[in-house]
Amino acid sequence: MSPTRRSTRRSLARRGVPRAAALALLLASVTACANDIPEADWSRGLLPDPITTQGDLVQSLWNGAWIAALATGGVVIGLIVWACIFHTKRRAKAELPPQVRYNLPIEMLYTLVPLVMVSVFFFFTARDSRDLEFVSGSPDVKVKVEAFQWSWRFTTTVGGKTLQPVVGQPVSDYTAGPQLVLPVGKKIEFELESPDVIHSFWVPDFLFKRDVIPGVPENNKGRVFEITTLDKPGVYAGRCAELCGVDHSRMLFNVKLVKQAEFDQYIATQAGSAQ
């Protein structure tokens, strides 16, 4: 532990903060220092700005779910407050209020309303899940993603040409990890593979992640997914989102979205190492 963290913990102890609470505060402060956390704001439901069309679907579903949940919570809280204010027994009255054993309209209400809500949630979730899992079979770029303890190997195929794999090693900064270069405005097909344990391919700006499970047959659709990149050039952080061993936290990489001209130049520079 660094001297700064030691002094912070001693300072918290002198103030009477319990050890567990002090450790929680330290953990939160360390996590907040990570440089691969994308910017988020309330207008997007605290999600990062998506860089794929599939991310737009996830954001729409997320915001809709929150709106429905907040509206339901508001109604429930309102009913609780109303019952507390207007149905409190008056001290001046000794008799019990009117007793009602069954109230058919209310019972129908709290049975049908949740059923309708769950049905609506299921419909939109199933619809968006189908779109997220759709694979056209005719991508502009194919990427084979091999997750291993504890880094990544990216093999890109474009125009029938397979480039030399980009292989990484455990790093503490995502910008130092293996870089996957992709063009904007194109369909990208990913094939996932793991030779050891379960990993998870996660680019937060995609707004979804996919597990990389060992032993999945090549023809299984669980190995493949497809995205369409938006016109948002930049370098975006990626990581493994499944606890996979001692260096899990250092299993970092980055995705670089570039304009088509820059991507063509990148492909040309890799031509000498292409298979």
Side-chain angles (χ1 to χ4, degrees), residues 35-39 48-52 154 174-175 177-180 182 184 201-206 229-239 252-258:
N35 64 348
D36 62 344
I37 299 176
E39 182 181 355
D49 190 18
I51 60 174
T52 68
F154 302 124
Y174 76 93
T175 58
Q179 184 174 81
L180 175 60
L182 299 174
V184 300
F201 181 77
W202 183 35
V203 180
D205 295 273
F206 284 4
T229 55
L230 298 176
D231 190 8
K232 296 180 179 180
V235 178
Y236 301 92
R239 60 166 55 244
L252 308 177
F253 66 95
N254 66 85
V255 174
K256 184 178 182 181
L257 289 188
V258 298

Side-chain angles (χ1 to χ4, degrees), residues 143-156 164-182 190 201-203 234-240 247-257 266:
V143 179
K144 184 175 182 179
V145 177
E146 296 172 86
F148 57 90
Q149 292 177 314
W150 288 272
S151 193
W152 306 85
R153 180 184 292 107
F154 302 124
T155 306
T156 301
Q164 186 71 19
V166 177
V167 185
Q169 58 185 359
V171 294
S172 299
D173 187 337
Y174 76 93
T175 58
Q179 184 174 81
L180 175 60
V181 180
L182 299 174
F190 293 88
F201 181 77
W202 183 35
V203 180
V235 178
Y236 301 92
R239 60 166 55 244
C240 175
D247 263 342
H248 160 72
S249 63
R250 301 177 65 216
M251 196 169 167
L252 308 177
F253 66 95
N254 66 85
V255 174
K256 184 178 182 181
L257 289 188
Y266 169 77

Side-chain angles (χ1 to χ4, degrees), residues 14-30:
R14 284 196 298 269
R15 295 176 189 175
V17 179
R19 180 183 176 86
L23 289 175
L25 289 172
L26 287 173
L27 179 61
S29 65
V30 171

Side-chain angles (χ1 to χ4, degrees), residues 216-242:
V216 178
E218 289 190 8
N219 58 351
N220 192 296
K221 66 178 182 179
R223 286 174 57 114
V224 180
F225 73 96
E226 184 178 286
I227 63 168
T228 301
T229 55
L230 298 176
D231 190 8
K232 296 180 179 180
V235 178
Y236 301 92
R239 60 166 55 244
C240 175
E242 186 79 23

